[in-house]
Amino acid sequence: MHNFTKIFAVGLLAFGLATPVFADDAKPFADDKEINLLNLLPPPPANDSAETKAEIGEILTIQVTRTKAMEDRAIADAEEDVWRFSDVIDSPKFTKENLPKFAAFFDRVVATEGAVVDPAKDVWKRPRPHLLYPDLVKPVVPLSKSGAYPSGHTTVGTLMGIVLSNMVPEKKAAIMARAWEYGHNREVGGIHYASDIEAGRIAGTVIAETIMTHPDYKAEYEAARTELRDALALGL
């Protein structure tokens, strides 16, 4: 965001005409220097390993059995934001417009995934299934040439699920089931291996447990949680 735009936005804030949601400038709660996945996760299976070949077989099985509804769900889940949990929260109040503090907080949560995961992806450089077997694997979700391992979508889905379920423990089982589906849909979409998904779930859990100890996280979490529970009429 350009400096003029920031100054203008701050001026609007002063008069209560805007909300402090700068998604493009969201500051991560942690990065790869604090959470080094290279030290926490095993390296991905080799391209010519029996495990990778078995995983390709699993992807191909899904490819010939997935329904149009499954494909549509996987395509929709390519979006990396907390609003993908709206079907579980099931409230017309669960929108960015109604929850500015909650939205800004989760912008930082999502930004944390990239800050932690992307450097590890760049080191391991595991080729996506469609790049390793271009004649066989036909993804239905937007393509990516970034490293496959660990799955960033699965990491952020797990991370968001843990944080959101802490805010709404009444729906914890449903929220975490949705988080697991969110990750699995990367395999349904043909863009990730099963081991990418597993590593992403581990990474998301580690990130969640780490950032929960940060003072800035705690302060913003409480404000976001209060705003959400008020909007959902759940009380504190």
Side-chain angles (χ1 to χ4, degrees):
M1 185 179 290
H2 296 299
N3 287 336
F4 174 79
T5 306
K6 286 183 177 179
I7 293 170
F8 181 70
V10 169
L12 290 177
L13 285 171
F15 290 96
L17 299 177
T19 53
V21 181
F22 303 125
D24 292 342
D25 293 337
K27 180 183 177 182
F29 286 111
D31 58 23
D32 63 308
K33 295 179 180 60
E34 180 177 12
I35 307 171
N36 187 346
L37 296 181
L38 299 177
N39 295 331
L40 294 171
L41 296 173
N47 294 340
D48 59 352
S49 67
E51 183 174 354
T52 292
K53 291 176 181 177
E55 289 183 326
I56 289 293
E58 184 178 346
I59 291 170
L60 295 177
T61 298
I62 292 173
Q63 186 169 289
V64 298
T65 58
R66 66 192 175 202
T67 64
K68 180 63 164 56
M70 292 169 65
E71 292 179 354
D72 289 346
R73 186 81 159 169
I75 292 169
D77 275 354
E79 292 291 332
E80 290 185 299
D81 62 55
V82 73
W83 314 112
R84 293 303 303 150
F85 288 85
S86 61
D87 53 347
V88 177
I89 299 301
D90 191 25
S91 169
K93 297 291 187 180
F94 191 68
T95 68
K96 185 174 184 177
E97 293 71 26
N98 287 324
L99 302 167
K101 293 177 183 178
F102 176 90
F105 169 73
F106 268 94
D107 282 344
R108 292 193 65 186
V109 170
V110 171
T112 304
E113 175 270 315
V116 174
V117 173
D118 288 352
K121 282 175 172 280
D122 289 343
V123 171
W124 279 316
K125 298 185 186 321
R126 188 184 196 187
R128 304 269 181 164
H130 70 282
L131 296 176
L132 191 61
Y133 289 91
D135 296 331
L136 296 177
V137 179
K138 307 299 179 185
V140 295
V141 298
L143 301 181
S144 174
K145 291 185 179 180
S146 68
Y149 184 91
S151 165
H153 276 76
T154 304
T155 300
V156 77
T158 303
L159 172 58
M160 291 189 298
I162 292 171
V163 175
L164 185 59
S165 66
N166 286 341
M167 291 181 173
V168 191
E170 298 91 336
K171 296 192 174 188
K172 188 178 186 70
I175 290 170
M176 292 311 300
R178 182 69 180 91
W180 250 237
E181 180 205 14
Y182 185 88
H184 178 63
N185 276 342
R186 299 304 283 167
E187 191 176 6
V188 171
I191 202 75
H192 274 292
Y193 308 88
S195 53
D196 301 338
I197 309 304
E198 179 182 1
R201 287 170 179 159
I202 295 170
T205 302
V206 171
I207 294 170
E209 288 298 312
T210 301
I211 64 177
M212 285 178 192
T213 65
H214 293 191
D216 59 340
Y217 173 93
K218 291 179 181 179
E220 292 187 34
Y221 169 87
E222 285 302 327
R225 173 179 174 270
T226 298
E227 183 181 63
L228 175 64
R229 294 187 66 83
D230 284 348
L232 300 180
L234 292 175
L236 297 178

